[in-house]
Amino acid sequence: MSSVFTKIINREIPAYIVAEDAYNIAFLDINPLSEGHTLVIPKREVDYIFDLDDTTYSSLNLFAKKVAVAIGKVTKKRIGTSVIGIEVPHAHIHLIPFNRMSELNFANPKLKFTNEEFLEIAAKIREAFG
Ligand code: AMP
């Protein structure tokens, strides 16, 4: 069965997509630690990020850098990265805007945004990504 993220890639379920290229896609995390918290994933469905072949891994990380720069322009914050992967078995990098280290703690309560708020931040990041 495809992962929930493959369903997003295939547009079978909705997501707030902020960037895409031939091999990767980025969309807002629906349970964000901060505004602009984004997931970057390879289109190839592989569970564990360190099982990715070198080409896919490199492509993912270069793509994540471009997305992080766009998020930084919009949020005016530094972007932290995390790789966890205990919930969704499809490799992904979390890009998390932050000011204080405590904001990067995954044990923190997740923020709630309305659909309109998610749409607005996604549109801004898309525009900054170019
Ligand atoms: P982890 O696998 O532990 O890195 O966590 C998976 C992350 O994916 C969590 O932060 C979830 O909020 C996020 N997530 C799960 N399903 C979706 C979805 N349909 N759209 C956006 N983010 C999701």
Side-chain angles (χ1 to χ4, degrees):
M1 203 180 76
S2 347
S3 75
V4 64
F5 291 171
T6 293
K7 291 190 167 77
I8 288 173
I9 294 164
N10 295 334
R11 288 10 186 215
E12 289 163 18
I13 61 169
Y16 302 99
I17 294 171
V18 299
E20 183 171 17
D21 69 10
Y23 306 104
N24 310 284
I25 190 165
F27 49 89
L28 297 180
D29 193 306
I30 39 161
N31 301 301
L33 283 172
S34 65
E35 189 177 40
H37 180 167
T38 295
L39 301 176
V40 183
I41 70 169
K43 290 185 177 177
R44 179 170 301 170
E45 186 179 324
V46 171
D47 176 0
Y48 185 47
I49 194 164
F50 298 120
D51 285 335
L52 292 173
D53 62 83
D54 288 357
T55 305
T56 307
Y57 182 81
S58 302
S59 166
L60 177 68
N61 278 279
L62 287 173
F63 181 75
K65 179 183 175 186
K66 287 187 211 152
V67 177
V69 168
I71 300 170
K73 279 184 190 157
V74 171
T75 61
K76 315 277 189 251
K77 292 182 179 179
R78 292 179 79 90
I79 309 302
T81 69
S82 287
V83 174
I84 302 178
I86 49 170
E87 188 187 314
V88 179
H90 186 141
H92 52 280
I93 300 172
H94 293 260
L95 298 177
I96 308 160
F98 75 105
N99 287 322
R100 293 177 310 281
M101 204 164 73
S102 58
E103 294 173 82
L104 297 172
N105 183 349
F106 277 79
N108 289 346
K110 304 303 181 294
L111 302 183
K112 300 277 178 221
F113 294 109
T114 64
N115 181 49
E116 287 67 31
E117 288 166 336
F118 274 122
L119 286 171
E120 191 181 337
I121 186 81
K124 285 183 184 162
I125 297 169
R126 263 200 313 278
E127 193 182 340
F129 184 79

